[in-house]
Amino acid sequence: IFICEMGAKYVGDIKELCDIVHPKHGIITSIGPQHLESFKSLQNVINTKFELADALPKDGMLFLNGDNEYIAERAPDGAITYGLNSDSKYKAKLISVGDKGTTFEVTPDGETEEFTTKLIGTHNCLNILGAIAVSHELGISLAELRPQVRRLESVPHRLELSKRVGMTLIDDSYNSNPSGTKAALETLSFFEGE
């Protein structure tokens, strides 16, 4: 399986990449007001992200973050959704975040499996959930995915959890935007202590 990230800064960027790669399946993880200096409007961002959906073949699968309002509004029939708060096929429940990482349950089609990861924060849980949805739809059982999720390592300085003498340190020095700071504070709120 070849995985290709399709970033965009201008209208048509994702279509151009799709014309080169010819993706069979696609996942749209997020849509927001990024790169407005080049996109000029949020609608242009939305249209550009959905160039991926337009490029998929009839037998391809489209995976969508059902929690993102801009994605959910435009979700076509047959798309496979995942989310924490939405009514998605793949939904994470019973999320618990602490100094050992994050634990959550996933229940698609009546099958339930508990996952544990060293990564912290609900946004990491959402990203992992998207990967679980794609992998499971491609035929990998939830049970087989458990050890893979457990092995995930954090990216340095992005909600990186480390132990120091007598304390737990959450290093989020990479993020410097409002949504990243909000996610870090939300994650911190899950921890007990003063």
Side-chain angles (χ1 to χ4, degrees):
I1 295 174
F2 173 70
I3 299 173
C4 178
E5 179 181 1
M6 298 194 173
K9 193 169 180 181
Y10 298 98
V11 172
D13 281 356
I14 291 179
K15 181 186 182 316
E16 182 178 349
L17 291 169
C18 288
D19 289 344
I20 295 167
V21 176
H22 303 287
K24 171 98 185 236
H25 310 297
I27 182 170
I28 301 176
T29 58
S30 182
I31 294 178
Q34 64 267 40
H35 301 303
L36 288 180
E37 73 279 0
S38 56
F39 279 115
K40 306 297 184 204
S41 74
L42 184 57
Q43 190 58 52
N44 284 339
V45 175
I46 295 167
N47 292 342
T48 300
K49 293 279 186 136
F50 271 88
E51 289 171 356
L52 174 60
D54 296 339
L56 297 180
K58 289 192 185 313
D59 63 340
M61 291 183 282
L62 176 63
F63 298 86
L64 300 175
N65 173 356
D67 288 352
N68 183 285
E69 63 181 302
Y70 305 113
I71 295 173
E73 287 174 0
R74 192 156 164 186
D77 290 339
I80 300 161
T81 57
Y82 66 93
L84 307 179
N85 305 311
S86 61
D87 185 26
S88 296
K89 178 175 183 178
Y90 289 85
K91 184 172 180 176
K93 301 182 292 186
L94 304 174
I95 300 169
S96 172
V97 180
D99 62 357
K100 291 188 177 29
T102 304
T103 301
F104 58 96
E105 284 187 3
V106 178
T107 308
D109 301 328
E111 178 186 2
T112 299
E113 198 69 52
E114 183 178 88
F115 291 89
T116 300
T117 178
K118 291 177 261 186
L119 305 181
I120 58 172
T122 54
H123 66 290
N124 279 321
C125 185
L126 184 62
N127 291 334
I128 293 168
L129 186 60
I132 288 170
V134 172
S135 301
H136 191 248
E137 291 294 324
L138 290 174
I140 301 172
S141 73
L142 294 180
E144 289 175 286
L145 292 171
R146 286 183 69 209
Q148 307 312 317
V149 170
R150 194 172 35 254
R151 288 186 189 114
L152 292 171
E153 296 286 336
S154 64
V155 175
H157 312 296
R158 291 190 178 186
L159 284 180
E160 183 180 17
L161 192 62
S162 63
K163 302 286 186 181
R164 304 281 193 222
V165 178
M167 73 173 130
T168 300
L169 177 70
I170 301 172
D171 177 359
D172 196 41
S173 57
Y174 181 88
N175 285 327
S176 61
N177 60 55
S179 61
T181 301
K182 180 181 178 200
L185 291 172
E186 179 184 279
T187 299
L188 186 60
S189 74
F190 284 108
F191 285 78
E192 293 182 9
E194 297 178 21

